[in-house]
Amino acid sequence: MAIQLIATGSALPKRIVPNRELENFIDTSDEWIYTHTGVRERHIIENEETTVSLGTDAAKAALEMAGMQPDEVDLIVCSTITPDCEVPGCAPRIRQLLGVTRDIPALDINANCTGCIYSLATARGLMETLGLETALVIGSDTLSTITNWEDRGTCILFGDGAGAFILRRSEEEGILAVHISGRNDDENVLVCNWPIPETPFYPAKTPMHTKLYMDGHKVFSFAVGALIDTIQYTLGQAGVEASALKAIVPHQANARIIKSTARRLDIPVEKFYMNVDRVGNTSSASVPIALDELARSGGLQSGDLVLLAGFGGGLTYGSALVRWK
Ligand code: UT7
């Protein structure tokens, strides 16, 4: 079945938190954060904003771009590591808030910052298996809720947001290649655990890291290697040269990771779309927000080839080569 990515959307919390605001509670500076990460500011939720509300707003924007009504959606896949609650998942809640009246499948995916690529692969597979016409794929995360705001080595990186895109069955193939993979995180370089309350059967368990813990150096070197591997693999699968790409939309974890990947692949860094300065690392939302910005700013014309690529906890990584509709 041929499938195209036909529309994108995104939503960011209203509140913008510049680096200078972090100086109020950790020993850091705007200059250190910018030179080590490329981040100038991030958006942080307040009031009623949640992973579900942001995901719903991003989905509405994508539906509007596609000229579709909520009841034309046949499947919803939402990638997140920060769901509003355990039951129900975010995707079923978003289905409800969008006002979908038909019974359709809606499920969450947890693949960390590669979540949007994993979700694209899942949605594409389910569309084929179930013979569906359309799928709404959402990446939404509120990392501020699991960030350790006392750890200056990690909290400077993260932000909140949501991105979405719509897949539709088509005559021409628009998803030219997809690659998802993962490697054991034997050293626990990226972890966050829930505390478990006491039950009649076992005592309470308080794990070491109830907020996001990251070994920055180890994640950095994994990230560059994984990005290089997956970009090369996907281009190879599709038989496409990097020079034919209009843009690469990588996970926005750190500008230095992106620049280092570009250098080692010998691809001009200008080809890598970056918004990490304004958005920070929004995990599942990172790639779809960046793709939406690129599309809405007129950066993609019909027929352009764009490569989406991510990596993250798990340790997951993957990429997808898309021909813009
Ligand atoms: O999506 C999840 C994937 N996550 C990532 O991709 C993150 C990958 N890792 C990174 O982006 C980088 O490793 C960090 C941004 C987390 C850290 O940057 P770094 O250049 O590796 O810094 P560092 O940890 O080597 O620290 C250098 C120095 C240290 O001081 P000393 O020991 O040299 O005196 C740190 O204590 O900078 C210090 N430092 C800070 N100083 C001011 C660490 N964080 C800060 C800070 N402000 N926020």
Side-chain angles (χ1 to χ4, degrees):
M1 180 198 288
I3 290 170
Q4 275 184 333
L5 192 159
I6 60 158
T8 58
S10 59
L12 291 167
K14 288 181 194 64
R15 179 170 180 184
I16 297 173
V17 176
N19 289 342
R20 293 237 173 269
E21 209 173 322
L22 306 190
E23 294 172 11
N24 295 334
F25 54 89
I26 49 166
D27 181 13
T28 192
S29 65
D30 175 48
E31 202 247 330
W32 191 97
I33 299 172
Y34 185 66
T35 52
H36 285 75
T37 69
V39 180
R40 282 276 189 218
E41 60 191 29
R42 73 284 294 140
H43 293 245
I44 302 285
I45 51 166
E46 55 181 2
N47 302 322
E48 303 303 309
E49 293 170 327
T50 68
T51 294
V52 164
S53 78
L54 293 173
T56 305
D57 288 346
K60 283 180 181 167
L63 286 171
E64 193 182 331
M65 186 192 276
M68 278 170 61
Q69 297 303 314
D71 267 337
E72 292 176 75
V73 175
D74 293 332
L75 164 71
I76 302 177
V77 181
C78 180
S79 164
T80 186
I81 56 169
T82 49
D84 290 14
C85 57
E86 281 306 295
V87 181
C90 291
R93 281 288 291 137
I94 291 171
R95 178 182 60 202
Q96 197 177 3
L97 291 173
L98 285 176
V100 175
T101 60
R102 298 161 54 224
D103 287 3
I104 58 161
L107 68 147
D108 287 6
I109 297 267
N110 177 333
N112 299 274
C113 307
T114 323
C116 134
I117 313 287
Y118 269 66
S119 297
L120 186 155
T122 304
R124 185 202 205 198
L126 284 174
M127 285 174 75
E128 284 182 3
T129 305
L130 304 173
L132 306 177
E133 284 294 320
T134 66
L136 170 59
V137 177
I138 301 157
S140 186
D141 265 310
T142 48
L143 287 186
S144 63
T145 60
I146 58 167
T147 295
N148 177 355
W149 289 105
E150 290 174 0
D151 177 9
R152 68 175 183 167
T154 58
C155 74
I156 40 116
L157 290 167
F158 303 124
D160 302 333
F165 51 80
I166 290 172
L167 302 180
R168 185 156 66 194
R169 191 201 286 233
S170 59
E171 293 292 312
E172 274 181 59
E173 187 54 83
I175 314 290
L176 305 188
V178 183
H179 174 234
I180 55 171
S181 193
R183 181 174 311 164
N184 293 338
D185 182 5
D186 291 323
E187 295 177 277
N188 295 322
V189 297
L190 203 39
V191 289
C192 181
N193 297 301
W194 281 296
I196 296 178
E198 185 184 331
T199 75
F201 310 104
Y202 43 81
K205 293 177 201 161
T206 309
M208 187 147 53
H209 302 298
T210 53
K211 295 287 177 190
L212 203 55
Y213 164 81
M214 182 178 69
D215 181 327
H217 285 249
K218 290 193 173 140
V219 174
F220 195 109
S221 54
F222 159 72
V224 175
L227 271 182
I228 290 171
D229 286 353
T230 191
I231 290 172
Q232 287 179 330
Y233 183 87
T234 294
L235 289 177
Q237 285 292 103
V240 167
E241 296 291 328
S243 56
L245 297 174
K246 181 68 188 290
I248 298 174
V249 179
H251 171 41
Q252 309 286 316
N254 183 327
R256 282 164 54 215
I257 291 176
I258 298 171
K259 287 176 186 166
S260 176
T261 302
R263 205 167 38 244
R264 286 178 52 185
L265 281 170
D266 200 18
I267 298 175
V269 72
E270 297 72 36
K271 217 164 231 189
F272 288 73
Y273 185 79
M274 277 199 255
N275 66 357
V276 66
D277 57 326
R278 289 172 286 112
V279 177
N281 177 348
T282 56
S283 192
S284 302
S286 174
V287 170
I289 291 174
L291 179 64
D292 184 50
E293 279 189 9
L294 179 63
R296 284 176 195 264
S297 63
L300 291 175
Q301 307 302 321
S302 181
D304 281 348
L305 293 175
V306 55
L307 186 81
L308 317 177
F311 60 87
L315 295 164
T316 57
Y317 60 103
S319 56
L321 180 63
V322 172
R323 188 183 296 286
W324 192 244
K325 42 98 197 184

